[in-house]
Amino acid sequence: MTLIDVRDLRKSYGGRPVVDGVSFAVEEGEIFGVLGPNGAGKTTTVESVLGLRVPDSGTVRVCGLDPFADRARTTLVVGAQLQESEMQGKLTVAESLRLFAACYPRPADWRALAARLGLEEKLDTRYARLSGGQKQRLAIALALVGNPRVVVLDELTTGLDPVARREVWALIEDVRAGGVTVLLVTHFMEEAQRLCDRVAIFDRGRVAALDTPSGLVARTASSTVISFTPSRPLEEDVLAALPGLASVAHHDGRVTLAGTDETVNAVIGLLARNRVSAHQLRVTDATLDDAFLDLTGADA
């Protein structure tokens, strides 16, 4: 079942198109990622999904509802953690959860939710005294306290250290396991590659590509990198003739080849035929970073 359906969404500011014909659908039970450089239209699209902005044209449906025209009903099925989310510093965790729970007719058990998200011992702690990771846990709890079918998480782990980030990733996986569909906006390629079932890469207000993380990686010019230090030099024309080769680089006697799985097999055969030893041989797959750069030509 499609829970988020965006079709030909368009929005301009001052005559400049920010979202220019965006379309995608999020299926029930998915973690769907939205990636893109700054200014690519991600936030405007997400705000349109939440009913916070009215598109110039196109349609948005969330659980079959128009999020702007049916805002009251939409808020009952969608939870959100926005990029600039902050609570009043003097509110305790328990007070924040009770306040948000009071806004819904059938809220989740906020105490059980706090325990599930590792906040049970912080219920009496004021928001201003929480660590970054604890604030993010609370943001997830507040997004879930209304028992939503869909939750939108915008730049959830920005500013967290690597340990806290991985803890939040585990929480997002747990949220999905509980039956909630997740729309995740992120700048972290590793985050999207680990969590997302599918990813839409935005560029200049359009969807440049939409696929699984592995599908996006497979589109890169070089899906595999092979590096080694040969026991004796290899002829340049021999390397250039390798199948699937995208590039060759030399540095301090080390050879780095970008290519495909076919290139790897050919390199191994070449070394064996020429009786050349490969010292410190490394074979690594391309990542979502590589796919992102190929598709947008921009940094994450």
Side-chain angles (χ1 to χ4, degrees):
M1 179 185 296
T2 299
L3 292 193
I4 300 175
D5 189 14
V6 177
R7 299 188 184 183
D8 199 27
L9 184 69
R10 298 177 188 274
K11 182 70 177 179
S12 297
Y13 299 110
R16 183 177 68 87
V18 175
V19 178
D20 191 13
V22 164
S23 297
F24 62 88
V26 182
E27 303 303 316
E28 186 172 20
E30 274 195 302
I31 298 179
F32 186 93
V34 174
L35 299 175
N38 291 328
K42 305 185 303 297
T43 297
T44 298
T45 298
V46 167
E47 289 177 347
S48 298
V49 168
L50 292 171
L52 301 177
R53 293 201 183 272
V54 183
D56 296 335
S57 63
T59 61
V60 180
R61 294 293 182 268
V62 182
C63 300
L65 302 170
D66 180 326
F68 185 78
D70 301 315
R71 182 176 298 176
R73 288 197 293 166
T74 301
T75 58
L76 299 181
V77 295
V78 179
Q81 175 274 327
L82 299 178
Q83 191 171 351
E84 301 297 329
S85 297
E86 283 288 331
M87 294 297 296
Q88 208 282 334
K90 292 185 178 180
L91 285 176
T92 67
V93 169
E95 288 169 342
S96 299
L97 287 166
R98 279 199 299 267
L99 175 64
F100 273 59
C103 297
Y104 298 95
R106 290 179 294 277
D109 180 340
W110 62 264
R111 288 186 179 276
L113 190 58
R116 175 184 172 193
L117 294 172
L119 292 169
E120 196 169 25
E121 296 181 359
K122 296 293 180 179
L123 291 177
D124 295 325
T125 302
R126 297 186 188 277
Y127 182 83
R129 299 184 65 84
L130 297 175
S131 68
Q134 290 162 352
K135 287 179 179 179
Q136 299 297 53
R137 289 172 183 268
L138 178 58
I140 296 174
L142 295 176
L144 294 174
V145 75
N147 270 325
R149 295 181 66 189
V150 175
V151 64
V152 177
L153 305 174
D154 190 358
E155 302 293 352
L156 183 65
T157 60
T158 297
L160 298 185
D161 62 65
V163 173
R165 185 174 299 133
R166 280 162 176 75
E167 289 176 350
V168 171
W169 291 352
L171 292 176
I172 294 172
E173 290 171 327
D174 186 44
V175 166
R176 192 262 291 278
V180 179
T181 300
V182 180
L183 178 62
L184 175 68
V185 183
T186 181
H187 272 105
F188 292 107
M189 301 298 115
E190 183 185 1
E191 181 167 284
Q193 193 158 5
R194 165 168 168 171
L195 293 176
C196 296
D197 300 295
R198 291 187 300 143
V199 173
I201 295 182
F202 280 46
D203 188 35
R204 299 176 181 89
R206 298 175 179 268
V207 176
L210 197 165
D211 206 336
T212 63
S214 60
L216 291 170
V217 170
R219 298 188 194 187
T220 60
S222 54
S223 59
T224 306
V225 176
I226 313 104
S227 62
F228 60 92
T229 302
S231 57
R232 58 183 175 82
L234 295 166
E235 295 181 10
E236 195 68 24
D237 58 341
V238 173
L239 291 174
L242 290 168
L245 185 70
S247 65
V248 182
H250 300 269
H251 182 70
D252 292 337
R254 190 163 182 82
V255 179
T256 300
L257 308 170
T260 64
D261 288 344
E262 187 181 11
T263 312
V264 176
N265 294 330
V267 167
I268 293 171
L270 174 66
L271 295 172
R273 287 193 305 274
N274 290 275
R275 298 184 179 181
V276 174
S277 299
H279 301 292
Q280 295 181 319
L281 176 66
R282 299 285 186 273
V283 179
T284 58
D285 290 332
T287 66
L288 202 53
D289 277 290
D290 301 306
F292 182 89
L293 292 171
D294 276 359
L295 289 163
T296 68
D299 293 325

